[in-house]
Amino acid sequence: MAANSTNPALEPDPDRPDHPGLELAQFGAGCFWGVELAFQRLVGVVKTEVGFSQGHVPDPTYKLVCTGTTNHVEVVRVQFDPDVCPYSNLLSLFWSRHDPTSLNRQGADVGTQYRSGIYYYNEAQARLARESLEAKQKELNDKNIVTEILPAKRFYRAEEYHQQYLEKGGGKGLCQSAEKGCTDPIRCYG
């Protein structure tokens, strides 16, 4: 029997939304904890998961991704209802949550896993992502955006303790609201 020569980590994400009419989106914008909480609060987002994508190692762990050897990005995968929350709303939130001109870092978090990326599931998302990048670049004038826009590769869900981490209290036990429409500041802590 011949060995399978394809690497599943390099293939498109095979997952589908939980219900008809929903769509998936993936975003990398630094540490996934704060980004996930921001998306949880958005009306029309029905589910968020944090994990890893765009790398070359199947089934990576958080510890392995942090070595910088897998090329994975920390991402938030969002399930959303496009009739309630257009993809453009997700893009607006994405751009507002991080510095897209900072290569492989967000604040004190440094490494390729913290790079900025929009990972699309269809050509409509790809077009809107490119248009939003062009609009954001005009706002920033002389600072160059380093955000990558690529097809979504296989999503590997991070360990359970990372899921809804800040809503559950993070490392300090201080729960933060994921209520739809909440505008409380998001505090990231390990």
Side-chain angles (χ1 to χ4, degrees):
M1 183 169 164
N4 184 350
S5 63
T6 61
N7 181 343
L10 302 176
E11 295 174 2
D13 188 2
D15 294 339
R16 299 290 172 251
D18 292 342
H19 303 287
L22 300 180
E23 291 186 24
L24 294 174
Q26 275 186 34
F27 299 96
C31 175
F32 45 38
W33 295 334
V35 180
E36 180 186 35
L37 185 59
F39 280 115
Q40 284 176 274
R41 292 174 171 181
L42 198 58
V43 174
V45 169
V46 298
K47 182 178 180 181
T48 61
E49 298 175 280
V50 297
F52 315 105
S53 186
Q54 305 307 118
H56 56 77
V57 176
D59 298 312
T61 62
Y62 180 73
K63 186 175 181 177
L64 182 60
V65 169
C66 287
T67 67
T69 61
T70 70
N71 202 44
H72 283 92
V73 184
E74 287 192 14
V75 297
V76 178
R77 185 168 69 176
V78 177
Q79 281 193 49
F80 66 103
D81 181 341
D83 292 333
V84 178
C85 179
Y87 187 69
S88 58
N89 290 11
L90 301 178
L91 291 167
S92 293
L93 180 62
F94 165 80
W95 293 116
S96 74
R97 286 294 310 162
H98 76 299
D99 177 1
T101 67
S102 180
L103 184 63
N104 297 331
R105 84 174 299 145
Q106 290 298 313
D109 295 326
V110 179
T112 56
Q113 72 268 30
Y114 300 116
R115 67 187 181 268
S116 174
I118 302 169
Y119 308 108
Y120 58 85
Y121 282 81
N122 57 52
E123 285 307 311
Q125 287 183 0
R127 181 182 49 78
L128 290 168
R130 286 189 211 90
E131 289 171 0
S132 73
L133 184 145
E134 290 169 12
K136 187 67 174 178
Q137 185 62 70
K138 287 178 184 174
E139 283 178 31
L140 297 176
N141 297 321
D142 60 343
K143 292 180 88 177
N144 288 329
I145 290 176
V146 295
T147 302
E148 58 187 17
I149 299 174
L150 299 168
K153 288 186 182 174
R154 186 177 296 260
F155 174 83
Y156 293 100
R157 185 177 159 91
E159 296 85 347
E160 189 57 37
Y161 75 91
H162 289 292
Q163 306 303 321
Q164 293 80 46
Y165 184 79
L166 296 178
E167 180 185 10
K168 294 186 290 192
K172 297 187 179 185
L174 303 171
C175 298
Q176 297 182 55
S177 176
E179 183 178 330
K180 298 299 182 193
C182 179
T183 59
D184 294 346
I186 295 175
R187 300 169 316 280
C188 282
Y189 39 75

